[in-house]
Amino acid sequence: LLVGAIFLSGCFSLSVHPLYDEDSQAYEPGLLGLWGDPDNEETGSWEFLPLGDHAYRLIIREGNNLRVDPETDGVFEAHLVRLNGHLYLDLFPEEPPMGNDIYKSHIVPAHSFWRVKLEGHVLVLGLFGSSFLEKALEDGTITTSHIMREGVLVFTAPTSEVKDLVARFSDQVFDDGETMKRIQQ
């Protein structure tokens, strides 16, 4: 629900290219597990599972249970990135199990970025995207390649430029974040 509420509010940005590369990938075993609001099972949950050496499989559910519902839940490949001593999360959707190859070829997946603060059993995620970005692009403060697609700012610049943008303007381009607590390891 956290993702849905934020995306519906229109205050997010996406990128065609990832934020991570071999030099900036990070892995934090403390991120593994089920996160959400243990006092409210209706709020949704995020479950991080291991996926290879430097990645996670992330299941975003509409409840705090371990059941996956393909109608309502989202599954992502997630990578942690370390830039200037801060952690960021890059989410990329898994291919949806629907449609034929022609249909699927018309769906262009994109990366979303999140600032991560992980302190023990508390996880704070701040979404990439703010009014600062649109103003800075308009006045030329930021010149990173981008397009507007149905009211969503989509960066088209290569990974190196997106990493630079995030590193330089991190305090301005990420929201304050939503807090989740560990429900299960």
Side-chain angles (χ1 to χ4, degrees):
L1 291 180
L2 169 65
V3 172
I6 292 171
F7 283 2
L8 289 175
S9 70
C11 61
F12 71 103
S13 300
L14 297 171
S15 176
V16 173
H17 298 283
L19 183 61
Y20 65 92
D21 57 23
E22 284 191 31
D23 296 332
S24 59
Q25 283 193 91
Y27 191 80
E28 292 290 335
L31 191 57
L32 295 171
L34 185 65
W35 299 85
D37 182 349
D39 299 324
N40 185 350
E41 291 184 14
E42 306 281 319
T43 61
S45 62
W46 289 36
E47 183 178 17
F48 290 90
L49 303 165
L51 181 67
D53 291 337
H54 294 289
Y56 306 86
R57 183 173 195 238
L58 171 61
I59 304 168
I60 300 177
R61 296 188 182 92
E62 284 200 3
N64 287 345
N65 59 53
L66 297 177
R67 174 189 48 82
V68 176
D69 183 347
E71 295 289 322
T72 59
D73 301 341
V75 182
F76 298 84
E77 182 175 320
H79 292 262
L80 270 181
V81 179
R82 189 175 306 279
L83 298 173
N84 295 343
H86 299 284
L87 284 176
Y88 302 93
L89 189 62
D90 178 318
L91 301 186
F92 191 75
E94 284 191 2
E95 185 174 311
M98 57 183 215
N100 58 38
D101 289 340
I102 293 172
Y103 178 80
K104 287 180 183 179
S105 69
H106 285 79
I107 298 173
V108 180
H111 297 262
S112 65
F113 307 142
W114 305 74
R115 183 174 45 202
V116 175
K117 293 179 184 174
L118 178 61
E119 296 177 4
H121 296 293
V122 176
L123 175 64
V124 180
L125 295 171
L127 183 61
F128 176 68
S130 67
S131 57
F132 170 82
L133 278 172
E134 289 183 25
K135 290 176 190 167
L137 286 163
E138 192 175 296
D139 71 18
T141 303
I142 294 175
T143 59
T144 308
S145 301
H146 66 282
I147 61 170
M148 286 298 286
R149 177 74 179 170
E150 297 180 11
V152 177
L153 181 58
V154 180
F155 286 93
T156 58
T159 296
S160 60
E161 289 181 37
V162 176
K163 281 175 57 178
D164 182 60
L165 170 69
V166 167
R168 287 181 46 214
F169 297 102
S170 181
D171 289 339
Q172 293 93 353
V173 299
F174 287 91
D175 68 19
D176 292 335
E178 295 291 327
T179 300
M180 290 190 268
K181 295 179 181 172
R182 183 181 304 281
I183 297 171
Q184 184 179 49
Q185 269 185 304

